[in-house]
Amino acid sequence: MLSLYHDARTPVHVVPAGVKLLVLATVGTGLFLVSSIPALTAALVVVLGLYAVARIPWRATGRQVLGLTPFLALIVLAQLIFTDARTAILVGERLLTLVLLANLVTLTTRTSAMVETIERALTPLRPLGVRPERVGLLVAMTIRFIPVIREQAELVRDAQRARGIERSTVFLVPLLVRTLRMADGVGEALDARGLD
């Protein structure tokens, strides 16, 4: 299965998927309980340190942070307008740390291991109507489609550049159309295989 997995032999990679997901959920919740800028900065430094331990190339990390910048800037700007500078910094640090940590889990965990862990964790809920295999498929497809949508975005950008359009406000429309067409195709393929 194609994934965002970065293959390497490091202490971060050998941690079981269940432990990583538990840590992610715990830290993700904990970050929203912390209201100290130095403490959040320390958490961010620790996460970046884990990237170094996992031997994730800094160039790839920087590219991902750069991709997040517009969204983070918008959120921080909204916080600055509606609250104050301290709250804006806290929110920005929390989101950046959480996204980087989630990304690290994805980069160091095979998708198959993550799906198996989620399915195993949800199995006790089967009597309540939860279908673990369906949730696992949903998670696998979500992870799988992140790079696919990024590729589609690059294709749209390339097509616009080929037409001499460097910056366009209608970038999202063709990307949305392509994504919906792709989703239709995937839905038909799942129907053909008897998955509802």
Side-chain angles (χ1 to χ4, degrees):
M1 179 183 291
L2 181 63
S3 71
L4 302 174
Y5 183 71
H6 174 76
D7 196 14
R9 292 174 184 272
T10 71
V12 180
H13 284 75
V14 298
V15 175
V19 175
K20 287 181 193 172
L21 291 174
L22 186 63
V23 168
L24 176 61
T26 306
V27 172
T29 305
L31 285 175
F32 285 89
L33 301 176
V34 176
S35 57
S36 158
I37 292 175
L40 286 173
T41 304
L44 180 59
V45 170
V46 168
V47 170
L48 290 174
L50 289 174
Y51 270 76
V53 173
R55 295 205 301 258
I56 305 295
W58 289 111
R59 181 177 289 182
T61 307
R63 208 168 38 235
Q64 288 167 350
V65 171
L66 205 61
L68 284 173
T69 304
F71 303 105
L72 278 176
L74 275 176
I75 293 169
V76 169
L77 182 64
Q79 292 295 322
L80 275 173
I81 292 171
F82 295 110
T83 59
D84 54 55
R86 185 177 182 279
T87 305
I89 294 170
L90 284 172
V91 170
E93 277 192 323
R94 276 186 195 125
L95 290 178
L96 182 60
T97 306
L98 184 57
V99 170
L100 285 176
L101 185 59
N103 190 53
L104 181 65
V105 170
T106 307
L107 286 169
T108 59
T109 311
R110 292 187 187 279
T111 306
S112 55
M114 210 179 303
V115 170
E116 282 172 21
T117 302
I118 291 170
E119 287 183 359
R120 215 173 25 248
L122 293 178
T123 299
L125 299 178
R126 194 183 287 278
L128 300 176
V130 176
R131 294 173 63 181
E133 64 282 352
R134 185 181 286 183
V135 178
L137 178 65
L138 178 70
V139 171
M141 290 182 69
T142 302
I143 294 172
R144 170 65 183 90
F145 272 79
I146 292 170
V148 171
I149 291 175
R150 188 173 57 203
E151 286 171 12
Q152 294 294 322
E154 287 171 4
L155 286 173
V156 170
R157 282 276 187 225
D158 289 344
Q160 288 183 333
R161 283 194 198 103
R163 292 181 179 90
I165 305 169
E166 282 299 321
R167 298 277 176 197
S168 172
T169 55
V170 293
F171 167 73
L172 287 178
V173 175
L175 177 61
L176 187 61
V177 170
R178 278 174 171 265
T179 305
L180 289 175
R181 281 185 186 156
M182 193 170 53
D184 277 345
V186 171
E188 288 171 7
L190 291 174
D191 278 344
R193 287 164 177 79
L195 294 170
D196 55 357

